[in-house]
Amino acid sequence: QSALTQPASVSGSPGQSITISCAGTTSDVGRYDLVSWFQQYPGKAPKLIIFEVIKRPSGVSDRFSGSKSGNTASLTISGLQTEDEADYYCCSYAGTSRYVLFGGGTKLTVL
Amino acid sequence: QEHLLESGGGLVKPGGSLRLSCGVSGFSMRGYFMDWIRQAPGKGLEWISYISKTGSTIYYADSVKGRFTISRDNAKNSLYLQMDSLRVDDTAVYYCVRENEFGGNMDSWGQGTLVTVSS
């Protein structure tokens, strides 16, 4: 069981918007504005797409956005494209004892 | 363009040891925190170890504490992971990861090296 809870799968049609949730606790997601999101294609290394809850690295599409409310962070992908079909992982800083925690990952299917 | 390249993976018997290396190029490693993160086959990501820019601060996940040792050589732009007392559940792809800011801003990843622990 992963430390952060994500839905196992989500799906959407091209052009639609989807949101992936990442539930943590008051010791991690709720305590620090240090939530990241990663996109991973099969057989490839993960790629950072959101950091510090809402920031996007240079080169990442503005269709990707992050937010947080209480102990739950969210990743929203708007204007879904077939190339967005991948696995998505959230990650949160959790203090020096555990450092960072990952969610179990969410498989996005673009129908 | 930053580049991280892991090496040293392979097949090892339970109880054995392996040393992973990660060479970086395109940036000076001394300016960054570094981590090792692993992914078991068909599973999610698991952070296992962090090392500060000078190596003075190190953290481990409970799953590897006491068995794995992270280290770095900034002069050689290299990161290492010494893995001892390996177990079957250590089987995974191990990623070398650059951390741009403390606390999980992991902005550059290697392609990973597969470690298989099996008798």
Side-chain angles (χ1 to χ4, degrees):
Chain A
Q1 186 175 357
S2 299
L4 305 180
T5 302
Q6 298 179 233
S9 63
V10 299
S11 62
S13 300
Q16 287 186 331
S17 294
I18 62 96
T19 296
I20 299 172
S21 61
C22 171
T25 71
T26 54
S27 298
D28 37 71
V29 174
R31 186 167 187 175
Y32 306 100
D33 287 336
L34 291 171
V35 175
S36 303
W37 289 89
F38 300 89
Q39 177 191 59
Q40 186 181 34
Y41 293 111
K44 301 295 186 182
K47 173 189 173 184
L48 179 69
I49 56 173
I50 295 287
F51 67 100
E52 294 176 7
V53 180
I54 61 172
K55 298 178 181 179
R56 275 188 311 275
S58 175
V60 172
S61 171
D62 60 4
R63 296 186 300 105
F64 294 91
S65 62
S67 63
K68 190 182 85 167
S69 177
N71 297 336
T72 300
S74 298
L75 171 71
T76 297
I77 308 175
S78 59
L80 268 180
Q81 300 179 0
T82 55
E83 68 203 49
D84 298 331
E85 189 163 290
D87 294 325
Y88 292 85
Y89 293 91
C90 65
C91 173
S92 175
Y93 178 67
T96 56
S97 61
R98 295 185 299 170
Y99 197 54
V100 295
L101 304 172
F102 282 96
T106 298
K107 182 177 180 58
L108 170 62
T109 301
V110 181
L111 304 169
Chain B
Q1 180 76 14
E2 60 272 7
H3 189 62
L4 299 85
L5 183 63
E6 304 91 340
S7 60
L11 175 63
V12 62
K13 288 181 167 51
S17 297
L18 215 51
R19 189 192 195 213
L20 304 184
S21 299
C22 172
V24 312
S25 59
F27 67 97
S28 176
M29 201 177 74
R30 68 177 70 251
Y32 294 88
F33 311 108
M34 299 293 294
D35 297 83
W36 287 99
I37 291 170
R38 70 183 180 184
Q39 186 170 33
K43 302 296 184 183
L45 301 171
E46 180 189 15
W47 169 81
I48 57 172
S49 188
Y50 156 96
I51 187 166
S52 62
K53 296 176 185 179
T54 62
S56 60
T57 300
I58 286 172
Y59 304 128
Y60 297 102
D62 288 344
S63 59
V64 305
K65 199 173 295 182
R67 302 187 298 121
F68 290 11
T69 303
I70 190 172
S71 61
R72 64 191 294 163
D73 185 336
N74 288 337
K76 294 184 177 179
N77 263 343
S78 293
L79 178 72
Y80 307 101
L81 186 68
Q82 177 66 39
M83 303 186 295
D84 299 320
S85 302
L86 282 161
R87 309 188 299 222
V88 171
D89 62 359
D90 291 319
T91 295
V93 173
Y94 285 73
Y95 293 101
C96 166
V97 181
R98 185 181 84 169
E99 203 173 326
N100 199 6
E101 295 290 342
F102 182 79
N105 183 353
M106 298 169 179
D107 69 341
S108 192
W109 296 57
Q111 91 291 342
T113 187
L114 176 62
V115 172
T116 303
V117 185
S118 174
S119 53

